[in-house]
Amino acid sequence: MVDDDNSELEARLPDQDYYRPPPEFVGQANVSDPAIYDRFEDFPEGFEEYAELLEWESRWDEVLDDSNPPFYEWFVDGELNASYNCIDRHLDERKNQTALLWEGEDGEQRNITYQDLYREVNKMAAALEDAGVEEDDVVTLHLPMLPALPITMLACARIGAPHSEVFAGFSAQALADRIDDAGSDVVVTADGYYRRGDLLNHKEKADEACELAEKDVDKVLVWERHEGELHPDAELEEGRDVLVSELLANNERTRVDPVTRDAEDPLFLMYTSGTTGKPKGCQHRTGGYLAYATGTSKYVLDIKPEDTYWCAADIGWITGHTYIVYGPLSLGTTSVMFEGAPDHPHKSRIWEIAEKYDVDIFHTSPTAVRQFMKWGEEYLEGYDFDFRHMTTVGEPIQPEAWNWYYEHIGDSDAVIVDTWWQTETGGHLITNLPALDDMKPGSAGKPAPGIQPAIYDDRGDEIEPASGRAGNLVIERPWPGMLQTVYGDDDRFIDEYWRDFSETDSDDPEDWVYKTGDGAVHAQDGYFRILGRLDDVMNVAGHRLGTMELESAVSEVEEVAEAAVVSRNDPEKGEVPDVYVTLREGVDPGGIEDKIVAAVERDIGKFARPNAIVIVDDLPKTRSGKIMRRLLENISNDDDLGDTTTLRDPSVPERIRDQLQD
Ligand code: 6R9
């Protein structure tokens, strides 16, 4: 629900300054002619400009088939291969240029040229085929930030097998759920990776996931963090587990021709949290996705082949898929990958790498910026780097953090783009074009070329553009990077993204409006400011978490009768989960917190650990028995409780508040 009192909301917005992009930046930018916005208003043909950046085996006949909304088809009858576009087509011009510059946590370095990438991806594609993977089989990956991850993704793309990478921080249970949903016969993992000095046994999660999954996994392919030295605690199951190094060594085949994929054939799945306990597999198409990833990498991130570009995200999330792997490699640039944590072994690690590789473009999250700010400027001292362009993604950035980023990291002469988008959207939807639009701290900015966002009220009526009133952020026209569907569940695709604001019995695409789940304000200057999620999805340090997923994990603790998870604003992580529980009659509350934490770690992963666990006598409920999470959220955030008269027992929230103050 949108806050009714928008005037109050607007009043809280601080005054904002604008910053012009420096002339040196504008002079060299990939796009510096404002005519681009008009070109893309020629809808949908404008998007051909992105598709033209790719090499197609056969060109599309039609840009968009919108005859069956919301199942749109892009670049109809076009044919291409994503791995060919990210590797093979660059070989003539830049085979000896570094494609991936990998830095291990322990300081180990690997420069993978486009020729090396070609060799490794071909060999891995052969290995996947030997493991029984066929075109259109979904391969589940559970790989950390090792070169193995992009190599495996591109090898899958080469043979037309959609990959489904599950972030390495997810637990065995979360991996098992995704293996089951995708129906994968083959899983690719690694024996280990470094986290703050420890070589973690990562393989054990895949072992446990294979036990937990209903699906019988035929093969688990295991990359080694140190080739030839399997992690001492990793066990291999005879007949099922195979070391990738052995598969590669024993394979005579060193080339696998890229298969011809239809533009609409799926390229990958990326699971994300929604409003139910079950994560959804966002299915992305080959042609439209790659065109959108490439186009926005060129126009928004301003990537050029000669750049060294570093997106310090994890490839296990959508940001890494689009803006570490597919977009940058499709443009033939050098993309940096980092295995480790930003504060290990010291808090200057990021700046050390930036200097070492002479990074030109730097991409990170507001959570990371807030952390750098908290650590202080002294960690930057003595490091010589010069970013031309900086990006943030994943959460709103407060003007204070923006200013610090601009001044201390950007030396007040880099451009910053705040990019708003989602797992579902494939690429940036609201963001400035850096040479054209002034920067405005705290605002994501204008719609990307060809994108048509709007603000709707809860009844589904459009709020007047540029009115400054808060509402639901929606997108009124399709775009090539959008998800095709929720894997295996077209109904859920419609329910989650379209039903609320569309006329779902209409065939007219004008009647179909995509719901983002975010609240936003469209200001007078045409800039959009994103306010955050309006649904039961939280954004913890830029990672999406469904409150329902958390609640179902917490409810598995035997002693718990009822659980409600709400979001607390956090100065560093943006939001953190607070857990409120009631216990079953007569149980001993001792040790419950530990059990709850363990359940969350088991079902989701350590990164989802609750901030606070509050055991209460009763939860605030309506007369019909629905838990009113909004009131708990007010308590967690020390806000006014507002109207409590609809509660069955109106004294409950005050009692909880008193309990917390004791
Ligand atoms: C790319 C990515 C999507 C949600 C989205 C919104 C939040 C992303 C933002 C932002 C404010 C930005 N979000 N970018 N909020 N300003 N620049 O993060 O995808 O993990 O699916 O999260 O993140 O709430 O709806 P994903």
Side-chain angles (χ1 to χ4, degrees), residues 39-226:
R39 288 203 301 276
F40 277 77
E41 274 316 298
D42 179 16
F43 178 86
E45 283 73 19
F47 285 116
E48 284 185 302
E49 194 166 322
Y50 288 167
E52 305 280 4
L53 297 171
L54 306 180
E55 221 175 277
W56 296 75
E57 281 169 60
S58 47
R59 202 184 155 87
W60 56 95
D61 295 329
E62 199 186 348
V63 179
L64 170 67
D65 177 352
D66 58 5
S67 59
N68 181 27
F71 300 96
Y72 299 100
E73 295 189 6
W74 283 94
F75 308 114
V76 183
D77 291 334
E79 289 176 332
L80 77 168
N81 180 285
S83 128
Y84 178 88
N85 270 280
C86 290
I87 309 169
D88 307 38
R89 67 161 165 156
H90 303 312
L91 295 180
D92 277 351
E93 257 184 76
R94 59 189 82 244
K95 64 173 187 288
N96 295 324
Q97 182 194 311
T98 304
L100 292 167
L101 200 44
W102 176 78
E103 171 93 9
E105 190 193 81
D106 54 354
E108 185 187 342
Q109 180 184 326
R110 275 187 72 188
N111 287 27
I112 301 169
T113 63
Y114 275 94
Q115 181 67 36
D116 297 334
L117 190 60
Y118 174 78
R119 211 177 294 123
E120 303 228 6
V121 166
N122 270 281
K123 286 197 292 182
M124 186 59 188
L128 288 168
E129 285 186 343
D130 288 349
V133 178
E134 293 178 2
E135 190 173 349
D136 291 320
D137 291 349
V138 180
V139 181
T140 296
L141 279 47
H142 192 225
L143 287 165
M145 283 293 277
L146 303 177
L149 175 48
I151 289 169
T152 308
M153 286 164 66
L154 292 163
C156 287
R158 198 161 189 88
I159 62 173
H163 51 79
S164 169
E165 154 72 4
V166 178
F167 170 58
F170 272 117
S171 68
Q173 182 65 57
L175 176 60
D177 295 343
R178 287 155 179 78
I179 291 171
D180 279 338
D181 193 77
S184 289
D185 293 314
V186 174
V187 172
V188 186
T189 188
D191 64 339
Y193 63 101
Y194 284 103
R195 226 354 139 243
R196 297 200 163 83
D198 293 330
L199 183 60
L200 304 184
N201 175 2
H202 182 61
K203 166 71 170 40
E204 65 182 357
K205 286 198 198 169
D207 295 338
E208 208 186 312
C210 289
E211 295 279 313
L212 292 165
E214 278 166 32
K215 178 93 184 87
D216 276 329
V217 174
D218 293 340
K219 286 271 173 288
V220 176
L221 310 189
V222 186
W223 286 88
E224 290 146 291
R225 170 65 179 78
H226 296 286

Side-chain angles (χ1 to χ4, degrees), residues 14-16 397-405 441-443 529:
D15 287 342
Q16 293 181 324
I397 181 161
Q398 297 70 16
E400 191 199 0
W402 192 99
N403 284 317
W404 192 89
Y405 192 38
S443 262
R529 169 198 289 274

Side-chain angles (χ1 to χ4, degrees), residues 318 394-396 418-423 518 530 533 539 544:
I318 192 70
E395 332 149 59
D418 176 351
T419 57
W420 175 86
W421 59 296
Q422 309 178 296
T423 303
D518 277 335
I530 311 297
R533 302 290 307 195
N539 195 329
R544 251 165 87 166

Side-chain angles (χ1 to χ4, degrees), residues 178-483:
R178 287 155 179 78
I179 291 171
D180 279 338
D181 193 77
S184 289
D185 293 314
V186 174
V187 172
V188 186
T189 188
D191 64 339
Y193 63 101
Y194 284 103
R195 226 354 139 243
R196 297 200 163 83
D198 293 330
L199 183 60
L200 304 184
N201 175 2
H202 182 61
K203 166 71 170 40
E204 65 182 357
K205 286 198 198 169
D207 295 338
E208 208 186 312
C210 289
E211 295 279 313
L212 292 165
E214 278 166 32
K215 178 93 184 87
D216 276 329
V217 174
D218 293 340
K219 286 271 173 288
V220 176
L221 310 189
V222 186
W223 286 88
E224 290 146 291
R225 170 65 179 78
H226 296 286
E227 205 180 312
E229 283 174 56
L230 187 67
H231 191 292
D233 302 328
E235 285 166 19
L236 295 182
E237 189 178 300
E238 184 80 35
R240 186 194 68 188
D241 298 351
V242 194
L243 291 180
V244 171
S245 57
E246 280 174 16
L247 272 178
L248 299 183
N250 298 334
N251 207 318
E252 308 273 281
R253 279 195 308 151
T254 52
R255 279 204 55 176
V256 174
D257 285 337
V259 302
T260 304
R261 297 290 276 171
D262 187 276
E264 279 297 305
D265 283 338
L267 178 60
F268 67 88
L269 307 182
M270 167 65 62
Y271 282 84
T272 190
S273 299
T275 51
T276 70
K278 194 172 171 273
K280 344 168 239 201
C282 295
Q283 180 180 316
H284 283 286
R285 52 174 60 84
T286 303
Y289 169 82
L290 193 64
Y292 201 75
T294 308
T296 49
S297 294
K298 180 161 182 173
Y299 290 178
V300 179
L301 302 180
D302 199 51
I303 290 176
K304 305 182 178 66
E306 58 277 15
D307 284 331
T308 300
Y309 160 84
W310 183 14
C311 170
D314 193 295
I315 298 177
W317 306 103
I318 192 70
T319 298
H321 273 48
T322 305
Y323 298 119
I324 299 179
V325 181
Y326 284 112
L329 295 181
S330 169
L331 290 173
T333 198
T334 300
S335 185
V336 178
M337 272 183 82
F338 174 45
E339 177 189 35
D343 55 354
H344 184 86
H346 53 78
K347 294 194 174 77
S348 302
R349 188 74 170 107
I350 298 287
W351 320 122
E352 184 178 78
I353 298 172
E355 175 181 299
K356 179 167 163 193
Y357 297 126
D358 196 11
V359 170
D360 302 292
I361 305 174
F362 182 67
H363 194 143
T364 194
S365 66
T367 288
V369 174
R370 289 191 294 265
Q371 227 170 35
F372 301 146
M373 190 164 92
K374 191 177 139 208
W375 294 341
E377 287 102 84
E378 59 266 34
Y379 291 99
L380 290 153
E381 271 162 32
Y383 291 94
D384 182 17
F385 59 89
D386 181 15
F387 299 145
R388 163 178 105 235
H389 179 298
M390 307 190 315
T391 302
T392 65
V393 62
E395 332 149 59
I397 181 161
Q398 297 70 16
E400 191 199 0
W402 192 99
N403 284 317
W404 192 89
Y405 192 38
Y406 184 69
E407 198 178 314
H408 295 287
I409 312 230
D411 213 12
S412 304
D413 70 356
V415 297
I416 298 184
V417 289
D418 176 351
T419 57
W420 175 86
W421 59 296
Q422 309 178 296
T423 303
E424 292 84 348
T425 72
H428 310 135
L429 292 196
I430 298 183
T431 177
N432 285 331
L433 292 178
L436 293 179
D437 308 307
D438 289 352
M439 299 171 255
K440 181 179 170 187
S443 262
K446 289 189 185 167
I451 303 301
Q452 194 171 302
I455 309 288
Y456 282 23
D457 66 20
D458 287 337
R459 287 184 304 276
D461 294 325
E462 183 169 355
I463 295 178
E464 200 189 324
S467 70
R469 275 176 57 211
N472 298 278
L473 177 64
V474 302
I475 313 292
E476 294 184 318
R477 271 190 328 214
W479 64 99
M482 69 197 300
L483 76 167

